[in-house]
Amino acid sequence: MPLDHVHPLNSLGFAKSPAETRVVVAMSGGVDSSVVAAMLAEEGYDVVGVTLQLYDHGAALAKKGACCAGLDIHDARRVAEKMGFPHYVLDYENIFKDAVIDEFADSYLGGATPVPCIRCNERVKFKDLLETAKDLEADCMATGHYIQRHEGSKGAQLHAAADGVRDQSYFLFSTTPEQLDFLRFPLGHLKSKAETRALAAKYDLSVADKPDSQDICFVPNGDYASVILKLRPEAADPGEIIHTDGRVLGRHDGVINYTIGQRRGLGIGGLADPLYVVKLDPDTKSVVVGPKEMLATRTVPVREINWLGDEDFMSREEWHLAVKVRSTRPPTDAIIRPLSATQATVELVTPEQGVSPGQACVFYDPDSTRIYGGGWIHKG
């Protein structure tokens, strides 16, 4: 008799009882992951909570609204004590610095606009922490991310969250098929953050009203320039602000103070028409500015592609999908032309403004909620 006739699948998809199913929950100390841990503990799963200390504990204690900081470690521990499951704190400072923070600084120095949250998921949470979960003999690892995992005919699929406002698919495109097999996202079906907070109140969790964490946890008050300057002092080297027609319009105090598409704070007032940053050239230490229409991009070179489709990426000359080239923009129709298993040229049907190297280009099914992976935008 098939096993699933003896034990129907539990809520995490295993043909055994919750008590026989060990799940490691990645706990940041925020309301989302705390609710996941409490929910699974109440369902009777063998829950093990793990929190990563990602950067200096002492400095983190004084900073509000950051994930994986000192106060958040304390909050995660309180949830574990209340719900009665073990909780461990792992020191990942060196791993986080090497895999995320250093690249963040170097990317800005190289004229790119990086997304460190994606690298953290890819290189720390879904790599090292996932392996730790396997070492703990867990059946799976659960997180508080707002994204959905569906079982398809050819394996697990990644789908956007039911709540489009909270959807985190842009930040999780690099999740590999092997990682997806092991991961679970119990909040992805919820329709709003209010439902999550209601669950936190139901479980009487101390974090029920805790504010959401900032996007970049290790950047105090959004001042990424100061973080980069500590790591790479040469980032403050001055240079020229140059118009696309070759005119020198002024000087700047470091390319790290500028991003593609920036209009305000350029330090070149008194001009008749508004100008925007259209290019950052770290080799000449130049900030290139021009009219808004020069920001429009139709062709986007993409590399380091993580493909999540059922068919081989190279099996077609073209993929007609929707893509998102910035986390705050909706998906737009595009034609993806593979160059190799990990590289492609993406043609946007409607040109987008402010496309920047270092950002992600995420692939979406235009007719469903499925995510087909994505890659990193680089300089053409």
Side-chain angles (χ1 to χ4, degrees):
M1 181 179 293
L3 186 61
D4 59 356
H5 282 263
V6 179
H7 293 288
L9 295 181
N10 60 35
S11 64
L12 295 178
F14 296 98
K16 53 186 177 180
S17 70
E20 298 173 300
T21 305
R22 175 168 292 177
V23 52
V24 164
V25 179
M27 300 182 68
S28 69
V31 63
D32 299 324
S33 57
S34 295
V35 165
V36 167
M39 180 191 310
L40 295 176
E42 187 190 56
E43 289 181 34
Y45 285 97
D46 179 9
V47 172
V48 178
V50 175
T51 300
L52 304 181
Q53 181 185 317
L54 297 180
Y55 48 92
D56 182 68
H57 195 147
L61 278 171
K63 182 171 181 290
K64 295 181 179 179
C67 77
C68 310
L71 291 174
D72 292 320
I73 291 171
H74 173 70
D75 287 340
R77 183 176 291 120
R78 288 178 66 188
V79 170
E81 290 174 351
K82 180 174 183 60
M83 300 304 297
F85 58 82
H87 174 256
Y88 300 98
V89 178
L90 304 181
D91 183 353
Y92 272 41
E93 275 193 45
N94 291 335
I95 293 173
F96 187 66
K97 183 178 184 301
D98 293 344
V100 179
I101 296 180
D102 283 344
E103 185 191 68
F104 173 79
D106 291 337
S107 293
Y108 264 109
L109 284 184
T113 308
V115 191
C117 300
I118 298 176
R119 289 303 197 192
C120 181
N121 290 326
E122 173 189 313
R123 297 176 174 176
V124 180
K125 293 176 182 175
F126 291 174
K127 183 183 177 186
D128 293 285
L129 179 55
L130 191 144
E131 289 304 315
T132 297
K134 291 181 178 179
D135 290 341
L136 292 171
E137 300 182 340
D139 293 284
C140 64
M141 186 173 88
T143 79
H145 288 107
Y146 286 88
I147 196 165
Q148 298 189 78
R149 175 192 182 278
H150 294 167
E151 284 292 346
S153 60
K154 296 189 177 181
Q157 300 175 353
L158 203 61
H159 285 254
D163 179 3
V165 175
R166 310 296 304 182
D167 176 59
Q168 292 175 290
S169 57
Y170 184 84
F171 301 98
L172 296 169
F173 82 86
S174 61
T175 306
T176 67
E178 295 75 23
Q179 291 168 342
L180 199 52
D181 282 340
F182 194 71
L183 289 164
R184 299 294 187 273
F185 309 106
L187 301 184
H189 68 287
L190 298 183
K191 300 293 177 59
S192 72
K193 184 62 176 267
E195 290 186 51
T196 306
R197 293 198 182 278
L199 286 169
K202 170 189 170 184
Y203 300 126
D204 194 26
L205 302 182
S206 57
V207 296
D209 297 318
K210 187 174 181 177
D212 291 340
S213 62
Q214 296 176 358
D215 284 342
I216 303 179
C217 62
F218 57 89
V219 179
N221 306 315
D223 186 7
Y224 60 84
S226 65
V227 173
I228 297 169
L229 281 171
K230 290 179 182 178
L231 297 166
R232 306 288 187 271
E234 68 273 20
D237 287 352
E240 295 179 329
I241 301 174
I242 304 174
H243 195 285
T244 51
D245 63 12
R247 286 180 292 155
V248 177
L249 303 179
R251 292 186 63 78
H252 64 79
D253 295 324
V255 293
I256 61 163
N257 296 303
Y258 299 84
T259 57
I260 301 295
Q262 180 178 335
R263 176 187 172 188
R264 300 183 184 279
L266 300 183
I268 49 172
L271 298 172
D273 298 316
L275 295 174
Y276 299 78
V277 176
V278 298
K279 181 182 178 183
L280 299 172
D281 190 336
D283 294 331
T284 61
K285 297 181 172 58
S286 300
V287 174
V288 182
V289 298
K292 188 175 184 179
E293 55 265 26
M294 295 199 69
L295 286 172
T297 301
R298 183 181 290 276
T299 303
V300 182
V302 179
R303 62 187 178 188
E304 292 184 67
I305 289 172
N306 177 56
W307 179 246
L308 295 175
D310 295 335
E311 301 174 49
D312 185 86
F313 184 54
M314 295 294 291
S315 65
R316 300 188 194 180
E317 292 185 1
E318 295 182 350
W319 292 90
H320 291 253
L321 298 171
V323 302
K324 185 183 284 194
V325 292
R326 296 172 71 181
S327 63
T328 54
R329 302 284 292 175
T332 183
D333 290 340
I335 301 169
I336 301 166
R337 297 185 175 93
L339 301 175
S340 72
T342 58
Q343 290 184 296
T345 298
V346 176
E347 180 184 341
L348 304 176
V349 174
T350 302
E352 287 265 347
Q353 294 184 341
V355 178
S356 174
Q359 296 281 296
C361 179
V362 182
F363 308 155
Y364 295 81
D365 185 341
D367 301 316
S368 75
T369 58
R370 187 172 180 185
I371 293 104
Y372 281 86
W376 294 94
I377 300 169
H378 70 102
K379 297 177 182 179

